[in-house]
Amino acid sequence: MKTFIQSLCTLLFLGAAACGAPASTEPSASLDTTEQQARCETCPGGGGGGEGDPPPPIIVHGYEIDLPLFKPALLPAGWCFYDIGGGGHISLCNGTGKGTMDWRGGNAVFHASSDSWYDDSTFYYSRLMTKLPLTDGFVPIAQALGYYTHPENVPGLVRGSVELIVPNQWPLPGPLTSEIIIAVQVKENGVWVDKATSRNSITNLRQMHEVQALVQHNQEVRFEVRAKGRADHEMYYTLWKVRMFGAQCYPDFANGGACL
């Protein structure tokens, strides 16, 4: 019987080790954080301190800054919602074809077009159209600004995401394809610099694209979306979501989003 119990204990110990049993039973700190293992691309210097050292943990701490693209009550100053029953147009109140939707605090959509539409029953049919100027290069179309800080004075992971398409548009042949560059940026010596970027091919199929970067404590951080323009056509892009997770504050959304 003693041999059986010893064997059973050995099996239970091996099973616990295989499942990743904790090495200590001490209670963990009750912070609103989630620890993840850093990917080499996001580790300063490519990883840990020395060769063979494990990468440091990345702290995810903060909340989501979600630009209120389809909330008529939170339209920026100078923008109007024209309700025609079941939905309506979102456009500049002065009738100008396009302009900047500025929610203050660095949260904005640029080149927003009067072709935008809000559908109050089906989110899928809502659309925020942007119309780029004639240019042979990438143009910023959206930004979300925040500030990263942490109660334990540690760096953290900030992630930005965008949901969009390049719609087919006359007189260009379809189906269209294009590119976007999305970036997590930090402010260094008063200048915004890319901390991490992702270049993505897009089509007229709705998709989400993400990028993330490790940001130091007490630092401004910005998520930027850039779309590819053309020299022969004012390119349209359709936005549904622009979000940044991990920053602490700054949103104002014309006073309805607090902070600032």
Side-chain angles (χ1 to χ4, degrees):
M1 177 62 71
K2 182 178 180 181
T3 302
F4 172 76
I5 293 174
Q6 289 175 336
S7 299
L8 181 60
C9 290
T10 300
L11 288 173
L12 290 173
F13 173 78
L14 291 174
C19 294
S24 172
T25 58
E26 295 181 4
S28 58
S30 58
L31 290 172
D32 183 21
T33 62
T34 302
E35 292 188 359
Q36 299 178 349
Q37 289 300 310
R39 297 170 53 193
C40 289
E41 304 91 87
T42 60
C43 298
E51 186 175 353
D53 289 346
I58 285 181
I59 306 299
V60 179
H61 177 85
Y63 64 86
E64 184 177 81
I65 297 173
D66 191 352
L67 297 190
L69 305 184
F70 302 111
K71 295 183 178 179
L74 293 180
L75 282 177
W79 285 79
C80 292
F81 171 61
Y82 300 98
D83 191 351
I84 59 174
H89 287 285
I90 299 171
S91 64
L92 282 163
C93 302
N94 63 10
T96 306
K98 65 178 181 179
T100 298
M101 298 183 75
D102 188 356
W103 286 277
R104 300 179 61 203
N107 298 285
V109 170
F110 309 106
H111 315 294
S113 168
S114 57
D115 295 311
S116 301
W117 175 266
Y118 168 72
D119 189 309
D120 61 5
S121 59
T122 310
F123 174 76
Y124 182 85
Y125 291 107
S126 299
R127 63 181 184 270
L128 185 62
M129 302 293 292
T130 61
K131 187 178 183 181
L132 272 58
L134 298 176
T135 182
D136 187 17
F138 287 88
V139 179
I141 59 173
Q143 291 174 344
L145 179 67
Y147 186 83
Y148 176 76
T149 186
H150 192 277
E152 292 187 344
N153 192 23
V154 294
L157 187 68
V158 174
R159 179 184 298 114
S161 64
V162 60
E163 187 175 354
L164 82 170
I165 64 170
V166 54
N168 296 329
Q169 46 202 283
W170 188 88
L172 299 177
L176 280 184
T177 60
S178 191
E179 290 182 296
I180 59 168
I181 294 175
I182 53 178
V184 173
Q185 301 177 307
V186 295
K187 212 168 194 179
E188 296 180 355
N189 300 319
V191 178
W192 287 104
V193 297
D194 292 346
K195 188 73 173 177
T197 61
S198 177
R199 186 166 176 166
N200 304 276
S201 297
I202 62 171
T203 67
N204 60 350
L205 297 178
R206 187 170 168 176
Q207 290 182 319
M208 182 79 74
H209 300 277
E210 293 187 330
V211 65
Q212 62 188 33
L214 194 64
V215 176
Q216 298 300 314
H217 174 61
N218 282 347
Q219 192 167 35
E220 282 189 295
V221 59
R222 185 169 74 180
F223 173 57
E224 184 173 78
V225 182
R226 308 167 196 151
K228 195 173 190 329
R230 292 176 60 132
D232 62 344
H233 183 74
E234 293 181 304
M235 289 286 288
Y236 280 97
Y237 288 84
T238 305
L239 286 168
W240 281 281
K241 284 283 186 181
V242 178
R243 296 177 291 196
M244 181 169 65
F245 177 79
Q248 296 304 305
C249 212
Y250 273 12
D252 178 73
F253 299 156
N255 302 317
C259 290
L260 261 185

